[in-house]
Amino acid sequence: MNGLSTVLIVVGLFFVGGIISFYKQKMPTSLIVLLSIGAAMCLVTGLLQLEA
């Protein structure tokens, strides 16, 4: 496990927490979708970096 994959996974999990928070505050759906796309990209990239 290298540093970049760890950072990407942590940032992705941080974004997931933001998604939950924004959903509870009833923020606009487009903002939640945008944040979820960013979280998914960070998590997938971090997990793929683990295998490389």
Side-chain angles (χ1 to χ4, degrees):
M1 181 181 248
N2 60 13
L4 179 62
S5 63
T6 305
V7 168
L8 285 170
I9 291 171
V10 168
V11 168
L13 292 175
F14 179 76
F15 283 167
V16 170
I19 293 167
I20 294 169
S21 174
F22 283 3
Y23 180 75
K24 286 183 179 179
Q25 294 178 24
K26 304 205 186 303
M27 297 291 261
T29 306
S30 60
L31 183 63
I32 295 171
V33 168
L34 184 65
L35 194 58
S36 64
I37 291 170
M41 287 193 308
C42 283
L43 289 173
V44 168
T45 305
L47 291 174
L48 288 176
Q49 285 287 330
L50 286 176
E51 295 177 7

